[in-house]
Each structure stands twice: as structure tokens, then as C-alpha cells.
Amino acid sequence: MRLASIFNVIALSAFGASSAIPATPVALAARATSTALCPTYNGQNYQDSTGATYAVTCHASNNGAVIGSSGSTVNLGQCMTACDGQSGCKAALFHTVANQCYFVGTLGSTITNDTYNVGVKASTSTTTSKSTSATSVGVTFNVLVTTSWQQSVMLVGSISQLGTWSPSSGVALSASQYTSTNPLWSATVNLAPGTSFTYKYVVIGVDGTVTWEQDPNRSYTVPSSGTTATESDTWQAAASQSTSATLASTVSNTVQGTTTTSVAATATCVNSATSRNCWNSGFDINTDFDTAWPNTGRTVTQDWTITNTTLAPDGYSRMVLAINGQYPGPRLEANWGDLISVTVHNELPSNGTTIHWHGIRMWHNNGQDGVPGLTECPLAPGQSKTYTFQATQYGTSWYHSHFSSQYGDGVLGPIVIHGPATANYDIDLGPLPITDWYYSPVMLHSALAEHANALPPEADNGLVNGTMTSNSGGQYYVTTLTSGKKHRVRLVNTAVDNHFVVSFDSHEMQVISSDFVPIVPYNTTNLFIGIGQRYDVIINANQSPGAYWFRAEVQDTAGCGTNFNNGNIRSIMAYTGHTTETPSSSAYSYTARCTDEQSLVPYWDSYVPQGQAGVEFTELSTAQLQQQENDGSITLYWLVNGSALSANWETPTLEYVRTGNTSYPDTANVIVLPSEGVWTYWVLQEVAGDPYDVAVPHPIHLHGHDFYVLGSGDTTWTAAEANNLNYDNPTRRDVAMLPTNGWLALAFQTDNPGAWLMHCHIAWHADEGLAVQFLESPSTISSYASDFDTQCSAWDIYNSDDPVYVKHDSGV
């Protein structure tokens, strides 16, 4: 059974069919150890901070009806106190992994459950609920909404009593008066007179899915008279939503200007289907964009709003953090040399965010890299930010949130920067992003994985260009091919944990670029794509017209990701006139693997200085640590040289640099590279963990640079290996695989001042600390964002006001 399903079953069995609790609590606060009650008070009575008495049972739950929840508690004792403040609460039920407190209003049986501790309130008249004091008003909320069997309805809103917009912390409504002709759900909430707030109703499915009613938000002010009040509503029917099959792209506010170049014109041909090696204004495929690029005088602008919404990419509805209401987000499309300006509005009610432009080196523009705790503070709810940078490279990539593992819940989209190519093609079909997909929030999975001695979560499905089929419906993405034409397809792995081998039945792929690097073309029938990697391929539609499967196989047997729907993650590539057909084509055979492509020869001959006197490899070892906490729980860390990175969202590294403070915290994992123009040689080595040897491959991503992959191996690195590496035009890219129990040797030049991140792109591992930041030429950094101070000030205000979700991981 899938892990997501196991958790749903546990949650539902704990509370019974009538429970209104979502199956996926999302809050995770810092753990407290001084007041942990289990196992000390197991089977005994405990008096909480308000004087109420509870009978404590550890590793157990009560399957009575849940009437509410709170994500602000960190142990059972605090959960009991919160129960005292909830009208009708008879038992406090504390989820020990997610740090979530549930209020049981109707007692059931207390049953064994390793994930929970429970305290049942003693029947005594001395315990008085705080919420029934004379200073509160009982407001009854009635809503007419037709629901299916075992669904429930929650009231959520802008104040803490209504969960601060979190469905898992809202108020559960009762269906005691519900009939087929009068589908009434009702709840009474005690609120202070004069309180003003906005609110909505949500329907919770039996599987924990959340369906919000349509905008606008409702508004209400509690009567000042102190008398009881009733608010009667009718469900605002939601308009149907679906993911877009094609990703729209707009170029607006174009600035007309004289085109300039950074080098003298050398090419005179024009880019066309028969001359893709050409570009314009003297630039072509022979131009090394490390040193030269066009200045087009054109600005590409986009405006993005990030919100909570509900989408069903594969037919299964779940909460998605969507950009402009779609997943994947809008395509960012520009020409080589364009200026790009993207304004981001954070309308997530309870989450910060940032946007990182994956693989774009941000040449001397570190302040736009979008990493919280390094280059900026998170963008607070209700705030906006404009990122501005020039497209000095060309090719295919993606943008994504770098706010913990948030991108796995939807904050991502493709990037296309048009430029020359190393082979000819007729039609550019655009990006084809591939990802794993989880029915429970990825941020929840990450929090659970951080505190479980278990295998990583299994993905529920995979998506190709934002869509797939499942038992709930969905559809395959269909790409139309023109017979006799060559088609460019831009493959991107935007996954959280899954690595793929992709293939196209009966057709070869001609590979022309890896990440942002043009390569000498080669042909293959299958292609390994690690997380964060990109390949541009050309597909020649030279077979019998028909419909063929495009396959994305998760490499589970090789040890880099698991997916419940593996073997069925596909899209359809159909010749014109065959787009409604279901393919019957057969797959190519291949050997499962978690290792990079070996035929990646950069088109430009890149020379890396070889082993002269004084050159040494800095060794960075990676290992997992399972740390036993004082309350009996565990916390997982991925260490680099014995330290797990934890970014300081409130004081980014650039603030240290700007103020001349060199006292970087140990957990910042800062490596200072003080000199410009110096070749840097690193070797990453996976070593045994503590107390278990967890050996897995890692996709290593470098910000601010491409690196040169000098070699890798599945043994232990020794100094002698330096003499056997490839310094003669080695593979160049920005994501490379560190083999299981092996090593990865890299080189790059310090030519881009800034605070840059290098990290594993498996979300669980990055969250658990597998990252370092290297501070390159700090004395020459001058690329601070103009809104650096105002953004940090807004975050400080938001973060100091008891935020719903508290940073519990590395932050990146």
C-alpha cells in the first residue's frame, strides 16, 4: 500500500467515519522536550496548566468525533490546554509526528495507534471552557451545501479561531440537521464582540482532499451587544477547473531600442529550419555565452499571483499552490539577450515564498537568485516582488519556489530561452515537464519524512506536462507530430523525489543540449533525467503515421524514487490525423539506472586546468544522521562534512556580507571562496550514516555556475583518482548525479560573486540539510535587490505574529 494511503487510513481509522479531520495535517512546530508527558504519565492522570484533569494514554487515539484542531501546539500538555479553550472538547488528541492537536467532542473508544497520544478530560464541573466566558458571543454558522457520504464541511477564515485559513485548523460543522431537501451544516463558535473577519466553507473528502467554495471571501463582524447571533449562507458553487493542456506565454511592455552586441559581428546567416546554428546580430552557436551575449533592447514582463486552489491534474482533486491558477505555472519565454522582469504576488494566506530561476547563472546579479536565507528573506503573505535579470544563456529550464519543499505543491513552471542550436529542426514543440505527484501535500510528506525511521514517501502518480490518468479520471497529454518533420522537444524533470528514464516508442531522440549547455548531437532510444536536469531532443516523425507512447519510467529498481503508478506514466505523441487514437506501441528495452548520460560532449571545447602544482580537491562528504530526541522521537538530517544546513530566513547571508559580519552560524554551512578567477575543485563523497548506512544517489545542483563533471565513481575517492579524471572538454552542466556510495568530482571558476547554494535536489534531502553555500568573492558583491530591506521588514512583521507554519527544516 502507498505511504500516502497508509497515512490516510491511519487518520480515518483513528477518528471514525464521521470525523471532520483532514487526513493530512500540515502544521509542524519546533519540538518541546521539557513538558513531554509520554511515557512518564502513561496510564495516569495529569493536571494541565489551567487545572483541568486528563487521563493520559500514550501511543493511542480516541475514535470519537473531532470538532476542531490546532497546529500551534508542540506536545500533549499544550494540546490539553488548547482543548480547554475549545467549547465541547472532551479529549485532546496529539499527532506526535506532525505536531497537530485535535479536539474530540464526542468520545469513542481509545485504541492503539503509534502515531498519537491522547488525554481524556475527567468529568468534573471545575473545568470551564475559556471560550464560554462572558466576554464572548456564540455565533452560529449555517450553510446549505450538498455533500456525499462521509464528506464533511469545515469553516475557515482569517482569524485564529477559524484556523487562519488552514482547513486542518478550522471549525468542523455538524450535519445533525442534514436532510436531502435541506442539506444544512451548522456550528457555533464563541468569538469576542466586535471581531471582524473573512471566511469561507470547505468540503473535506473521505480521502482528505479539500474543496473550497468559490470566491469572493465572506465577511462578518461579531455583534457588539454580546447577544448570540446566526449567520445563514448557501454554498458558493465553484466554477469547474482544469489544468491547461497548453501553457500560454505573453510578452508585454516590449521596449523598442537599438540592438547592441557585446562582441563584434561574426555571423551573417539567419536562424531557420535549415540553419539552426545561426542566430542574429553576429551571434551563432560558436559564441560562448560565458563571455558574450546579445543585448536585444527588449524586456519580457510577466505578472504572477500565487494562491491556494484546488486542481485535479490526473482526475484526483487536491490542494495546489498555483501560479495564476494553473499547474504547471505560466511558461516564461524569451530570446537570448532579453531582459526579463517578473512580478510575483504572494497571496498564500499562511506561507512565504520565493522564486528561483533554476540553472540561470544570474551573472553578477546574485540578489535575484531567489533563495531564502541566502539572497533574500521570504516573500511574506500579501507582499509582492519583482525579479529582474538578463537571459545571458539560452535553452530550456524551469523556475520554482525555494521555500523548503513548496515547489512540490505547485509553485513551478517552464523556462524557454530561444537561441541557436547544434542541429536543425522544423518545429519547436516547447517544454515537456515531467514530475512525480503526491495526493497529500508535499510539505506534509517532507515533515513526516523528517521524523520517521522509514523509506521515503511513495509518489501517487506522475504527470507529463501537468496531466495524467488515474482511477479518478484524468487524461494523457497529446503532442501532435507532422509527418516528415523534425520536432524539438524540451524535456525537464521537475520532480520532488523521482528520477526518470524517458523514451518514445519506435523513434530515436537526437540529443542537442544538456541543461543550458549545447552539446555535440547524439542519438539514443532512452534518456536518464535526474531531478532538475533538462535535455533538448529532436524527434524525427519518419515512422508510419499513428499514435505512439512517450514513456517516463521511474527508476525504482535502481534506487532513485518510487511511484505507485510506475509503468503507466505516459503521454501520447500522435501524427496529424491520429490524435484521438490510443497507442498500442511497444517500449524499448533498457537497463534501469540512476547514473548520468555518458555521451555529453559540450559543443564548445572547454579546457579545465589539469592537476598543476598546488591544485587540490576539497572533499565534501555526505551522510545521513538519525538523531534521537529527548521526547523519544527522531529527527533525520543529511549532513555535509558533519553539518546539516539551516538557512536563516530572517538574516540572509547577503545581510552578513553587507554589514561586514563574518561570524556565520555553523549551520549556515558557509564555504568562503575569497578570490575571483580561481579554479575550484570539489569532490563529493557519500559515506556511511549514523546509525544506519543509508546509501542513495543524489542529484547535485549548483547555483550561479555551470560545473565541469571531471568524473564519478561508485567506490571511495582517493587522491590518486585526480590523475584519472577528464580535463579535456568534460561534460558541463548544472545538475549531476552523485552515485550511490560513490563520488563526484567537479570544477568551476570563481567568476560570479555572490552567496550561492549547492544542494541535493531531492526535496526530502535538501529539507534535511544536504546543502552548502559558498560565498564567492564577498568583497566584490554588489548585487543586492533594491527591495531587500523592505522585503525583510515585511517578513519580520509577519513572522513575529505567530505564523501558522513554522520553519522546521533547512529552509531551502
Side-chain angles (χ1 to χ4, degrees), residues 628-652:
Q628 188 82 19
E629 308 292 0
N630 292 338
D631 64 354
S633 67
I634 62 170
T635 301
L636 302 187
Y637 298 99
W638 273 100
L639 311 177
V640 180
N641 285 1
S643 177
L645 181 138
S646 180
N648 186 340
W649 284 348
E650 289 71 46
T651 310

Side-chain angles (χ1 to χ4, degrees), residues 24-347:
T24 55
V26 293
L28 189 75
R31 290 184 176 272
T33 58
S34 60
T35 57
L37 303 184
C38 289
T40 304
Y41 285 90
N42 188 31
Q44 303 179 39
N45 289 333
Y46 172 80
Q47 190 173 68
D48 70 7
S49 60
T50 67
T53 301
Y54 288 81
V56 176
T57 306
C58 300
H59 305 303
S61 63
N62 189 282
N63 61 8
V66 172
I67 60 174
S69 63
S70 171
S72 62
T73 63
V74 297
N75 53 47
L76 180 59
Q78 292 185 14
C79 184
M80 292 172 180
T81 302
C83 176
D84 297 339
Q86 175 72 28
S87 178
C89 181
K90 296 182 179 179
L93 186 61
F94 184 69
H95 194 295
T96 59
V97 178
N99 284 8
Q100 189 81 359
C101 175
Y102 299 103
F103 308 128
V104 179
T106 303
L107 291 177
S109 302
T110 296
I111 57 178
T112 300
N113 190 322
D114 289 341
T115 315
Y116 292 88
N117 296 324
V118 63
V120 178
K121 186 181 294 187
S123 299
T124 171
S125 59
T126 61
T127 302
T128 303
S129 172
K130 293 180 180 178
S131 61
T132 58
S133 66
T135 59
S136 66
V137 175
V139 181
T140 299
F141 291 86
N142 294 323
V143 62
L144 295 174
V145 52
T146 302
T147 54
S148 301
W149 181 68
Q150 289 194 336
Q151 287 184 328
S152 56
V153 179
M154 301 286 288
L155 172 66
V156 296
S158 59
I159 56 176
S160 59
Q161 295 92 328
L162 303 184
T164 320
W165 292 115
S166 171
S168 63
S169 301
V171 175
L173 276 68
S174 169
S176 60
Q177 303 175 66
Y178 186 103
T179 66
S180 59
T181 58
N182 186 46
L184 178 65
W185 289 82
S186 181
T188 299
V189 185
N190 294 299
L191 301 169
T195 302
S196 295
F197 56 92
T198 56
Y199 68 98
K200 273 186 179 178
Y201 300 99
V202 297
V203 171
I204 310 297
V206 67
D207 56 4
T209 56
V210 178
T211 302
W212 294 73
E213 65 174 342
Q214 190 180 21
D215 287 336
N217 294 336
R218 304 176 186 275
S219 300
Y220 187 77
T221 300
V222 180
S224 309
S225 60
T227 58
T228 58
T230 299
E231 180 72 2
S232 297
D233 300 309
T234 300
W235 177 268
Q236 297 171 163
S240 60
Q241 300 185 55
S242 62
T243 53
S244 175
T246 59
L247 300 177
S249 175
T250 59
V251 177
S252 59
N253 297 344
T254 301
V255 177
Q256 300 295 331
T258 302
T259 299
T260 59
T261 63
S262 53
V263 295
T266 58
T268 58
C269 59
V270 178
N271 184 276
S272 70
T274 57
S275 57
R276 295 298 184 189
N277 60 311
C278 301
W279 195 235
N280 56 35
S281 303
F283 295 89
D284 62 14
I285 193 62
N286 295 299
T287 307
D288 184 341
F289 54 44
D290 274 347
T291 58
W293 53 86
N295 291 305
T296 64
R298 190 180 81 146
T299 300
V300 175
T301 64
Q302 291 206 2
D303 194 84
W304 298 345
T305 300
I306 307 174
T307 59
N308 288 344
T309 189
T310 300
L311 298 175
D314 64 351
Y316 183 94
S317 294
R318 62 150 288 184
M319 179 200 69
V320 176
L321 309 183
I323 302 177
N324 291 357
Q326 68 182 77
Y327 178 84
R331 181 191 304 180
L332 179 58
E333 191 166 8
N335 287 332
W336 185 23
D338 283 349
L339 188 67
I340 295 173
S341 178
V342 181
T343 299
V344 179
H345 309 281
N346 180 14
E347 296 301 328

Side-chain angles (χ1 to χ4, degrees), residues 8-26:
N8 288 347
V9 170
I10 289 173
L12 289 170
S13 65
F15 301 110
S18 63
S19 170
I21 183 176
T24 55
V26 293

Side-chain angles (χ1 to χ4, degrees), residues 653-665:
T653 304
L654 286 187
E655 176 66 12
Y656 280 81
V657 175
R658 189 172 65 167
T659 59
N661 183 355
T662 58
S663 299
Y664 312 112

Side-chain angles (χ1 to χ4, degrees), residues 498-502 528-529 552-562 566 590-595:
N498 285 187
H499 302 67
F500 298 94
V501 165
V502 300
F528 174 86
I529 308 184
E553 303 279 347
V554 180
Q555 300 304 285
D556 51 0
T557 59
C560 50
T562 59
N566 198 20
Y590 70 92
T591 300
R593 59 193 175 99
C594 295
T595 54

